Amino acid sequence: MLVIKIGGSLTDLDPLLQDVAACKEPLVMVHGHPPRMVTSERGEVSRFTDATTMDHFLMAYAGKQNKRIVERLRALGANAVGLTAMDGGIAIGRRKPDLRIQEAGKVKMLHGDHSGSIEKIEPKLLRLLLDNGFLPVVTPPGISHEGVAINVDGDRLAMEIATAIQAERLLIFADTPGFMRDVSDERSVIPLIHLEEIEGMAEYGKGRARVKLRAAGQAIRRGIQAVGLLDGRGEHPLTRAFEGAGTWVTT
């Protein structure tokens, strides 16, 4: 069993979708989107989604992008079905409170945040689809305990789904060749990182790369056998990943 996460930074998905459609293993695909990030008064970077942005998000990603991915996968012969993580209560979580941020040197309060964090995965719907030969294609948002759509982190969603359905491998594709020792040199990819090496290696990463590496470590601790931080660009990215390309995190 595989879970494949497609990063919002990838612009040409077709080579990866071709590989996914040809894959013989049962899998769940998760795709995300580039979020709006803000800096809190304490200097912490966080996503923020107001009601208007959530409407646009539902139209653009849960609507158009999700259905275009399903359309292409079905054209390639895969029995794909598109879902959001709130369908069937797949991902249930806590909506974030009002956020105090710094912007242009001034402190302001952001109200009505529709971002949140995942607290529970309900895998029944995904298992039902997988057991009947479907390829689920899942995107945020999830749903809050109060029944409000919440924008959740796509990498976190993929990791939580992989854990819940007991996937052997989690493959995270982005527009970089893997986790690099030097972010300015794509030849500096680290091919293998063991669990006990993660904190030492994290110092080489910046921003989302560091977050992804630590999330990979958490996935390993929760029973995933291997997590790939992989290049989704170019021809046959899934095939290249199976051949050992990118960065693999394991025990």
Side-chain angles (χ1 to χ4, degrees), residues 87-180:
D87 295 328
I90 292 172
I92 302 170
R94 177 179 55 84
R95 184 177 174 182
K96 290 182 180 178
D98 291 343
L99 184 65
R100 189 187 298 272
I101 70 164
Q102 284 189 348
E103 191 171 81
K106 297 181 179 179
V107 175
K108 62 186 292 189
M109 184 71 76
L110 295 180
H111 302 284
D113 192 356
H114 286 257
S115 299
S117 56
I118 299 169
E119 294 184 333
K120 177 185 176 183
I121 293 289
E122 176 48 74
K124 288 181 181 178
L125 179 56
L126 295 176
R127 286 186 179 136
L128 178 66
L129 292 167
L130 290 164
D131 289 347
N132 286 276
F134 290 95
L135 192 171
V137 180
V138 185
T139 184
I143 193 82
S144 74
H145 296 287
E146 297 76 30
V148 177
I150 51 173
N151 187 9
V152 296
D153 181 77
D155 291 336
R156 174 71 58 179
L157 176 62
M159 187 270 284
E160 295 287 356
I161 287 175
T163 302
I165 66 173
Q166 299 179 310
E168 288 84 20
R169 288 175 289 181
L170 168 61
L171 283 64
I172 301 174
F173 288 92
D175 62 349
T176 60
F179 189 83
M180 295 176 288

Side-chain angles (χ1 to χ4, degrees), residues 3-239:
V3 172
I4 293 176
K5 166 61 169 50
I6 301 177
S9 58
L10 287 172
T11 56
D12 182 10
L13 302 184
D14 203 63
L16 181 53
L17 297 183
Q18 290 182 42
D19 277 1
V20 167
C23 183
K24 301 304 181 185
E25 288 190 57
L27 64 88
V28 175
M29 175 179 285
V30 177
H31 67 92
H33 68 101
R36 175 193 174 188
M37 307 303 286
V38 295
T39 302
S40 73
E41 189 179 22
R42 293 183 296 176
E44 298 171 345
V45 177
S46 176
R47 67 183 56 229
F48 178 80
T49 307
D50 61 20
T52 300
T53 303
M54 177 58 77
D55 284 342
H56 293 163
F57 172 47
L58 289 169
M59 289 186 285
Y61 293 96
K64 181 180 177 180
Q65 187 184 43
N66 184 268
K67 298 316 172 191
R68 288 299 189 194
I69 290 173
V70 170
E71 175 188 45
R72 182 57 178 149
L73 286 170
R74 295 196 67 85
L76 291 165
N79 198 11
V81 57
L83 303 161
T84 72
M86 64 179 172
D87 295 328
I90 292 172
I92 302 170
R94 177 179 55 84
R95 184 177 174 182
K96 290 182 180 178
D98 291 343
L99 184 65
R100 189 187 298 272
I101 70 164
Q102 284 189 348
E103 191 171 81
K106 297 181 179 179
V107 175
K108 62 186 292 189
M109 184 71 76
L110 295 180
H111 302 284
D113 192 356
H114 286 257
S115 299
S117 56
I118 299 169
E119 294 184 333
K120 177 185 176 183
I121 293 289
E122 176 48 74
K124 288 181 181 178
L125 179 56
L126 295 176
R127 286 186 179 136
L128 178 66
L129 292 167
L130 290 164
D131 289 347
N132 286 276
F134 290 95
L135 192 171
V137 180
V138 185
T139 184
I143 193 82
S144 74
H145 296 287
E146 297 76 30
V148 177
I150 51 173
N151 187 9
V152 296
D153 181 77
D155 291 336
R156 174 71 58 179
L157 176 62
M159 187 270 284
E160 295 287 356
I161 287 175
T163 302
I165 66 173
Q166 299 179 310
E168 288 84 20
R169 288 175 289 181
L170 168 61
L171 283 64
I172 301 174
F173 288 92
D175 62 349
T176 60
F179 189 83
M180 295 176 288
R181 207 175 282 272
D182 179 355
V183 294
S184 64
D185 183 2
E186 292 199 350
R187 298 169 298 177
S188 68
V189 171
I190 303 170
L192 180 64
I193 300 176
H194 293 287
L195 184 59
E196 67 272 14
E197 299 172 325
I198 286 177
E199 283 308 310
M201 293 292 184
E203 67 184 57
Y204 298 116
K206 293 183 179 179
R208 293 296 301 171
R210 184 180 296 161
V211 172
K212 288 176 188 289
L213 180 62
R214 287 180 169 146
Q218 187 175 1
I220 297 297
R221 292 186 189 95
R222 294 175 63 182
I224 307 300
Q225 294 177 14
V227 179
L229 305 178
L230 308 164
D231 195 345
R233 303 166 299 177
E235 295 300 311
H236 299 297
L238 183 57
T239 302

